[in-house]
Amino acid sequence: MRHRIETVVPGGLDVQMAWAVRIAVAAQVERDHEQTYRLIFGSQITALKELNVRGPITVAQAKGIYALTALRNHPDIFKPETFEAWGDYLLTRGLVAVER
């Protein structure tokens, strides 16, 4: 890796290190997005789209979106009591935030 950076990036060690960090960070962001894309449910994507259009919503409104998307379309998988787990994925991935 060092040889590749030295070959591709002209300049001193500081410049090469800056580029190496930049490349590593870009790879991390790409990995995180791929992981989210692979694991997210369609109903969660619908919720994110709703948030994008409507702006901030209440937890009750989020539960309504959950009921209309996850529960209605996949009742064998989702149950009313799994809203917290469904929403927690969006929280832990940093895709949404809850304001008190």
Side-chain angles (χ1 to χ4, degrees):
M1 179 65 122
R2 183 180 193 130
H3 177 70
R4 285 177 61 191
I5 292 170
E6 289 172 348
T7 304
V8 175
V9 180
L13 186 58
D14 288 346
V15 173
Q16 292 171 349
M17 182 58 101
W19 273 100
V21 169
R22 181 179 178 167
I23 291 165
V25 168
Q28 180 69 42
V29 169
E30 288 173 11
R31 185 191 70 97
D32 289 349
H33 284 301
E34 184 281 326
Q35 199 171 45
T36 298
Y37 178 79
R38 184 171 29 90
L39 298 174
I40 197 167
F41 292 122
S43 57
Q44 291 165 320
I45 293 171
T46 300
L48 292 173
K49 288 179 179 178
E50 279 292 313
L51 284 169
N52 191 44
V53 171
R54 293 164 63 172
I57 61 173
T58 66
V59 172
Q61 290 170 319
K63 286 182 178 182
I65 293 169
Y66 174 73
L68 288 173
T69 58
L71 289 176
R72 181 186 290 171
N73 296 325
H74 305 285
D76 51 327
I77 298 172
F78 298 104
K79 308 287 182 243
E81 61 274 2
T82 58
F83 167 76
E84 282 73 20
W86 177 89
D88 189 56
Y89 178 80
L90 300 174
L91 288 167
T92 57
R93 296 299 296 174
L95 301 171
V96 298
V98 175
E99 293 182 11
R100 307 267 176 225

